[in-house]
Every structure is written in C-alpha cells, then in structure tokens.
C-alpha cells in the first residue's frame, strides 16, 4: 500500500521544504500532475520542474501525463527522473507503442482512464503495464469531490489485474481523503493519490498515519 501526495497541492514558494515534510511523513511516491491546457482545462509544469523536484527529494516520482499525444514527451520526462510515467488511454492513438516506449526508457509504465471511460478499455493493454490509474474525479483541477461510482470501477480493475497474475499497481486519484480511503482500499486500490487531502492539513505525518490506519482497518496491510 502506497501513499502518493500530489505535489500540485503543495506550497510552491517552499517546495523543497514541502517535499522534505512529506518524506518525513512517510510518503511512498510524489505524484506529479502534468497538464497541457488541451487534454485537460489547465496548465501545470514541464520536464524542467520535474527535474528540480527530483533533485530535491529521494522519493520516487509518480508522473501523470494529462496531455495530448504524450508519446512526444515521454523521453523528456524519463530523463527528468520519473520512476513511473502514466499516460491516458484517451490521449494517444497508439497506446501500446507509447507504453512500450516508456518501458524501453527504463521507467515503469502506467495507463490511466477518466471517469467516463470503461475499465474494459484496458483489456488489450493491461498485460503490458506496471500501473493502472483510475481517475475518481474529472482531471484538470484539484480539490474535487470523489465520484462514488469509481468504487465499482476500482473493483473491476482489481479483478482484471488479478486475472493477469502480474504485480500491477492499482492507483486511484481524485478526492482521496482520510474519510474515504478505507472504502477505496476495500474496493481494491493499493496506491492512493491525495493532494489537498494531505497538503491541505496542518500535520502531514499525522494525516498519512491516519490514512494508513484506515487502510489497515479495511483489513489491508498499509
């Protein structure tokens, strides 16, 4: 079970301190949302900022490309220090080729689907990926509420992963907080992205500890 704080919700005026604090709090990944203003209605950061984040922390970088035609940029983000690069199934015409390109760069490859995209869209790619990311909000803005129907999608994705027999991580991103993380764990997730649910609290260590307690209460070792 891994906790992946979403760095876009951090205070960028003191980003190095924020990264140190989530490291001290026990974060397993740093989730980095990259947005282009086309695939999603917002613009965030590029490879240079990812490289700066990499220099400031030893926590593995979980880089989520919410951009059109991500195959154009995977090499740059791999070079910047990504440990995982996740692309959207909806954003590339040649998903298999893009996943293979990421893996050839020595980086774990993930595939994400939006709330309106069925889990069945992963059937022909799941054997190739290292991570599946279920969006539990519509991507592009932080602070949105968790879409409850996502729990069924998480459960379906978990069954699909188990059928492969491969150690694929199942990540959930959007509206994840202490109050609902137990339900999300019960549905089958094992990587939990949280932005304002962590950075919007006063004590990151206490928040992440409470999240792990909730996961443990679900009968899943965190």
């Amino acid at each position: 079970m891994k906790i992946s704080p979403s760095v876009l919700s951090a205070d960028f005026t003191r980003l190095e301190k924020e990264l140190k604090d989530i490291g001290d709090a026990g974060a397993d990944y740093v989730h980095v949302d990259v947005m282009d203003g086309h695939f999603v209605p917002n613009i965030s950061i590029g490879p240079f900022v990812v490289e700066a984040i990499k220099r400031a922390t030893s926590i593995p970088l979980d880089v989520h490309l919410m951009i059109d035609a991500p195959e154009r940029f995977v090499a740059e983000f791999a070079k910047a220090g990504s440990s995982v690069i996740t692309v959207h199934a909806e954003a590339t015409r040649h998903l298999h080729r893009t996943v293979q390109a990421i893996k050839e760069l020595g980086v774990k490859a993930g595939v994400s689907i939006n709330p309106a995209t069925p889990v069945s869209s992963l059937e022909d790619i799941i054997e190739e990926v290292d991570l599946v990311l279920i969006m539990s909000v519509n991507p592009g803005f932080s602070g949105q509420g968790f879409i409850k129907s996502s729990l069924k999608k998480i459960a379906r994705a978990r069954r699909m992963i188990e059928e492969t027999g491969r150690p694929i991580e199942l990540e959930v991103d959007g509206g994840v907080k202490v109050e609902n993380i137990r339900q999300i764990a019960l549905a089958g997730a094992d990587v939990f992205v949280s932005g304002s649910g962590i950075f919007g609290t006063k004590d990151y260590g206490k928040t992440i500890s409470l999240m792990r307690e909730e996961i443990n209460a679900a009968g899943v070792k965190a």
Side-chain angles (χ1 to χ4, degrees):
M1 292 291 160
K2 295 179 180 177
I3 306 294
S4 186
S6 181
V7 74
L8 279 190
S9 293
D11 182 350
F12 269 63
T13 64
R14 55 188 190 99
L15 185 56
E16 187 172 6
K17 176 68 162 54
E18 293 275 69
L19 291 167
K20 181 182 184 302
D21 287 347
I22 61 170
D24 292 345
D28 302 288
Y29 282 139
V30 176
H31 190 81
V32 185
D33 285 316
V34 177
M35 299 181 279
D36 64 357
H38 294 281
F39 182 69
V40 294
N42 212 335
I43 297 173
S44 60
I45 63 178
F48 291 117
V49 176
V50 173
E51 185 178 4
I53 293 171
K54 179 65 177 178
R55 290 197 303 269
T57 184
S58 61
I59 308 170
L61 303 188
D62 166 26
V63 177
H64 179 193
L65 301 185
M66 292 184 280
I67 62 177
D68 280 329
E71 61 273 10
R72 297 173 296 163
F73 301 105
V74 293
E76 292 182 52
F77 283 101
K79 185 178 179 181
S82 306
S83 295
V84 184
I85 295 177
T86 298
V87 300
H88 272 260
E90 307 91 348
T92 179
R93 293 182 179 179
H94 304 288
L95 182 57
H96 186 277
R97 181 186 298 167
T98 302
V99 166
Q100 292 303 314
I102 295 169
K103 294 172 76 170
E104 288 169 6
L105 291 163
V107 178
K108 289 184 177 181
V111 171
S112 180
I113 55 173
N114 285 333
T117 302
V119 175
S120 59
S121 64
L122 299 171
E123 287 179 358
D124 294 326
I125 194 64
I126 197 162
E127 291 281 357
E128 307 296 328
V129 304
D130 302 296
L131 179 146
V132 168
L133 170 54
I134 303 295
M135 290 300 301
S136 47
V137 298
N138 289 294
F141 296 95
S142 63
Q144 299 180 69
F146 182 85
I147 297 173
K148 291 184 179 180
S149 61
S150 300
L151 293 171
K152 294 179 180 178
K153 291 183 70 175
I154 296 164
R156 286 195 291 269
R158 170 52 60 194
R159 291 193 294 271
M160 189 181 292
I161 287 170
E162 289 178 353
E163 288 174 2
T164 71
R166 297 183 58 244
I168 301 167
E169 293 183 315
L170 179 53
E171 184 172 63
V172 176
D173 181 4
V176 177
K177 300 182 182 297
V178 170
E179 293 78 14
N180 62 13
I181 199 168
R182 186 189 304 192
Q183 286 181 295
I184 298 167
L186 283 169
D190 52 23
V191 182
F192 306 86
V193 178
S194 183
S196 59
I198 292 174
F199 287 108
T201 65
K202 293 182 179 180
D203 187 333
Y204 304 159
K206 181 179 179 180
T207 299
I208 290 176
S209 177
L210 287 171
M211 286 180 167
R212 295 195 192 281
E213 287 178 15
E214 289 295 313
I215 295 168
N216 288 335
V220 183
K221 186 177 180 182

